[in-house]
């Protein structure tokens, strides 16, 4: 079941809606067609309706200058290319393409105005699926090709929020789509450091201090980055300071496989993450500073292709060719 209400006007006067998805068990997910943002995800517990994502109640809170100044991309769809591209440079047919460098000297999350700040066309299918579409024109943020993008949100009666991605292009172009929700499964938004996290891999991408991959896959077995056995996030945080790493699972898969599990301190609520993507960017939110939300108030679990993939042939997934279909799926399943 999906309800829709007006959510406000953009500065350009475009009308934006908020869509509420519900399942038979009382879960609700609220999504706006501005940036495809997941603004709210609540589940019914015996004594409360618990909110588990960081978000706001109005469009203005997502568009004001103060929020954008230290922009955390709360709950947004990210594209045309999520994560980082080294110095914003990619090479196609022996020619360099300079993408915007909006994060110091590097490109981040699609550039100055990425998919997270676009108004998507929304359609409701079978009163259960919210389909968002966006045509990114040739040359937008200096990316080549017209990219037709489709994202479908679906909330199932198995308490699973599914996100289905699809894209096609008429010119070869870098593509890496993801969803940038921050989760906090506790009964407050003070900190996720007491959450328990498990990640089903012993590999991450080796990166420099600015989180640009070297191209090497680093074995983290028995290191501070090893989450194969579930552990409290803050166990090694004094030494790590903040996790912001792409955990690597190898090749993409045709159907989603479980890659991670997050639980609140008491194990009252657990969320399983399953995806077809080869990577999971885990960001523990040290630098969050947005309204009522502060440092470590949420953890982002962003299933995606590898960052800077267009510059590393061994990473795959960096380029989309005409005639190919980019297709991925990520599921967030709640157990409570």
């Amino acid at each position: 079941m999906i309800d829709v209400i007006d959510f406000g006007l953009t500065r350009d006067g475009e009308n934006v809606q908020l869509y509420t998805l519900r399942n038979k068990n009382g879960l609700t997910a609220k999504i706006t067609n501005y940036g495809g943002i997941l603004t709210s995800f609540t589940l019914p517990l015996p004594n409360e309706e618990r909110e588990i994502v960081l978000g706001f109640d109005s469009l203005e809170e997502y568009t004001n200058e103060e929020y954008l100044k230290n922009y955390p991309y709360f709950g947004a769809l990210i594209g045309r290319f999520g994560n980082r591209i080294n110095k914003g440079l990619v090479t196609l047919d022996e020619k360099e393409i300079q993408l915007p460098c909006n994060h110091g000297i590097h490109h981040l999350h699609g550039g100055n105005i990425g998919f997270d700040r676009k108004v998507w066309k929304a359609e409701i299918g079978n009163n259960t699926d919210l389909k968002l579409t966006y045509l990114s024109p040739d040359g937008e943020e200096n990316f080549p090709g017209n990219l037709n993008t489709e994202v479908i949100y679906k909330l199932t009666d198995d308490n699973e929020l599914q996100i289905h991605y699809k894209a096609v292009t008429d010119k070869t172009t870098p593509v890496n789509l993801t969803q940038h929700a921050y989760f906090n499964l506790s009964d407050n938004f003070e900190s996720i450091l007491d959450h328990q996290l498990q990640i089903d891999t012993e590999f991450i991408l080796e990166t420099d201090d600015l989180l640009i991959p070297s191209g090497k896959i680093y074995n983290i077995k028995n290191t501070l980055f090893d989450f194969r056995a579930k552990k409290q996030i803050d166990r090694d945080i004094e030494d790590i300071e903040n996790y912001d790493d792409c955990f690597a699972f190898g090749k993409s898969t045709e159907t989603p496989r479980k890659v991670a599990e997050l639980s609140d301190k008491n194990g009252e609520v657990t969320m399983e993450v399953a995806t077809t993507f080869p990577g999971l960017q885990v960001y523990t939110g040290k630098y969050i500073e947005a309204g009522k939300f502060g440092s470590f108030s949420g953890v982002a679990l962003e299933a995606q292709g590898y960052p800077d993939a267009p510059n590393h042939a061994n990473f795959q997934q960096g380029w989309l060719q005409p005639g190919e279909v980019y297709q991925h799926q990520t599921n967030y399943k709640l157990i409570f």
Side-chain angles (χ1 to χ4, degrees), residues 309-320:
N311 294 316
H312 304 279
N314 60 313
F315 281 1
Q316 304 179 347
Q317 297 293 327
W319 297 94
L320 181 65

Side-chain angles (χ1 to χ4, degrees), residues 193 195 197-199 201-204 218-245 247 282 284:
L193 292 178
H195 281 43
L197 178 64
Q198 185 262 332
I199 305 172
T201 184
E202 59 189 53
F203 299 101
I204 61 171
Y218 179 58
N219 191 310
I220 54 172
K221 188 176 180 180
N222 299 323
T223 72
L224 303 182
F225 295 88
D226 191 347
F227 281 90
R228 289 174 302 151
K230 186 177 275 192
K231 70 176 182 180
Q232 196 158 298
I233 291 174
D234 67 357
R235 193 176 84 179
D236 301 308
I237 206 71
E238 286 190 13
D239 295 312
I240 297 294
E241 294 187 11
N242 177 54
Y243 291 96
D244 198 353
D245 301 277
F247 288 77
V282 176
T284 49

